[in-house]
Every structure is written in C-alpha cells, then in structure tokens.
C-alpha cells in the first residue's frame, strides 16, 4: 500500500516457492492488479511461469500383496480353487515433496480374470477383457500412498498346483526423462479340490 506520483514508477520484488501439489510439468499464471483508493481497478499485469521437471530419480515404492478367500491376512503367496476369488492390493508411495503424474500397469496371469477394481485416488480401469488393469493419477504429498484393489476370479482351465506369479509396473514421465520400476512378485497357486474318495485324500482332478 502506498502512493505513486504522477509519471513515477514503483518496483516490487518478492520470492515465491513452488507448492508441493503443483504437477510437473505445468504453468502458473500470476496476475497483479493495481487498485485505486476507492477500490477501482487502475491497471493489471500478468506473467506465465513454467514449472520445469527434474531429472532426479523420484523416490517411488510399489508394493503388492494378495488376500485369498478364507484368510484375513495379506501376503505374497496364496492358494486359490476353481471359481473362487482373491484380491490383489497395490500400494504406490512417494517420499518426494513434489507431485508426479504416474501410471501403473498390471497384467493379470492367465487363468485369472479381473472382475472389479477400485483406487483411493486417480482413475483405475480393467482392460483386455479382464486380463489387465491400468491406473493413472497424481502421486504426491496430498495423495500418497495410493491404494489399488483388484478383485480376480479363477477359471476352471488351470492345472492342479499351477503357480501364477504376478508383478505390477509403474511409470512416471516428465518433459525431461521417464522413470519406471516394478513391485515385488506375488504368487497364487491353483489348488484343486480334493475329491475325498481316496483313503489318503490324494485323488485330485487334473
């Protein structure tokens, strides 16, 4: 607040810091207005500032687990029977102070099909007729960690004791570089139902 003499100029300098919730890359529009003593607009100016990306490796972690029917605990291994369900859980975390535009892809193993998917933020979709799941969203201080839940169902074409190992992958792209990584492996094993007509209960369909 002050007075500007007729024909005079005033220079104001100040520093700003990019907020952690600004996505990279992006542009920020800054508008300055000069007001008269009665609140009338005397003039205005604006500047467009580009928020550039960094080529520093982001601190991203993607973990995966599975919860099978009849269990209360998520784990890296489980058994599934024909027609039963299991739930994959993906947790994407970042310890960075900036936000990232992130993408996750998860190819569902043959013998399983995704029937439902949800996420704590962003957009998740089932693709390839249930044989894949993709997620897109913003990962940053306001959204990390992101949790993705994928409900899968076993079909009847699996071979007894067949193992299905699954790994999800993440990608972050900016105007400078692309970064990528993957989750830990998770295995589901196909356990055939016991027919129960052998004394040692070893009679299984296959």
């Amino acid at each position: 607040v002050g007075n500007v003499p007729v024909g005079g100029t005033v220079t104001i300098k100040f520093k700003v810091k990019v907020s952690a919730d600004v996505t990279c890359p992006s542009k920020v529009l800054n508008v300055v207005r000069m007001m008269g003593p009665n609140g009338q607009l005397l003039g205005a100016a604006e500047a467009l500032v580009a928020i550039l990306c960094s080529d520093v490796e982001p601190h991203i972690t993607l973990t995966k687990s599975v919860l099978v029917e009849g269990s209360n605990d998520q784990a890296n291994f489980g058994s599934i029977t024909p027609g039963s369900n299991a739930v994959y859980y993906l947790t994407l975390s970042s310890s960075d102070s900036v936000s990232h535009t992130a993408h996750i892809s998860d190819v569902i193993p043959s013998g399983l099909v995704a029937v439902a998917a949800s996420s704590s933020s962003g957009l998740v979709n089932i693709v390839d007729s249930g044989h894949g799941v993709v997620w897109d969203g913003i990962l940053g201080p306001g959204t990390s960690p992101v949790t993705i839940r994928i409900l899968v169902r076993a079909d009847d074409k699996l071979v007894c004791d067949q193992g299905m190992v699954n790994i999800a992958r993440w990608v972050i792209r900016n105007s400078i570089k692309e970064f990528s990584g993957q989750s830990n492996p998770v295995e589901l094993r196909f356990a055939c139902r016991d027919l129960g007509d052998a004394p040692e209960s070893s009679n299984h369909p296959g």
Side-chain angles (χ1 to χ4, degrees):
V1 179
N3 298 317
V4 181
V6 177
T9 61
V10 174
T11 301
I12 302 174
K13 295 182 179 181
F14 57 94
K15 293 182 179 181
V16 296
K17 182 179 180 180
V18 178
S19 174
D21 59 359
V22 174
T23 303
C24 164
S26 62
K27 295 180 180 180
V28 176
L29 179 63
N30 178 241
V31 179
V32 178
R33 295 180 176 87
M34 183 170 64
M35 312 300 292
N38 298 320
Q40 71 273 29
L41 180 64
L42 300 179
E46 61 182 38
L48 190 63
V49 180
I51 307 300
L52 302 179
C53 300
S54 171
D55 60 354
V56 178
E57 183 81 22
H59 299 90
I60 307 296
T61 302
L62 179 61
T63 59
K64 184 164 190 174
S65 61
V66 65
L67 179 66
V68 298
E69 288 186 358
S71 174
N72 296 320
D73 299 318
Q74 300 177 33
N76 294 332
F77 175 86
S79 297
I80 192 169
T81 55
S84 63
N85 298 331
V87 179
Y88 285 125
Y89 287 92
L90 296 172
T91 302
L92 184 66
S93 304
S94 170
S95 59
D96 294 342
S97 60
V98 297
S99 297
H100 304 281
T101 300
H103 172 82
I104 293 177
S105 60
D106 195 348
V107 177
I108 305 302
S110 178
L112 300 174
V113 61
V115 295
S118 61
S119 61
S120 59
S121 66
L123 183 63
V124 61
N125 287 298
I126 297 174
V127 298
D128 298 332
S129 301
H131 297 293
V133 174
V134 295
W135 175 88
D136 292 279
I138 303 300
L139 179 68
T143 59
S144 180
V146 176
T147 301
I148 302 168
R149 181 181 181 274
I150 305 170
L151 177 65
V152 297
R153 181 168 297 152
D155 61 28
D156 296 324
K157 300 178 182 179
L158 292 169
V159 178
C160 290
D161 207 34
Q162 176 180 343
M164 298 162 286
V165 178
N166 179 240
I167 295 174
R169 291 172 170 80
W170 62 266
V171 175
I172 288 177
R173 299 181 181 92
N174 60 40
S175 61
I176 299 177
K177 196 173 181 179
E178 175 180 294
F179 303 95
S180 61
Q182 65 184 36
S183 72
N184 56 288
V186 169
E187 182 179 3
L188 272 177
R189 187 162 294 277
F190 190 63
C192 293
R193 292 190 176 96
D194 193 338
L195 293 181
D197 57 354
E200 72 283 7
S201 296
S202 61
N203 196 359
H204 299 276

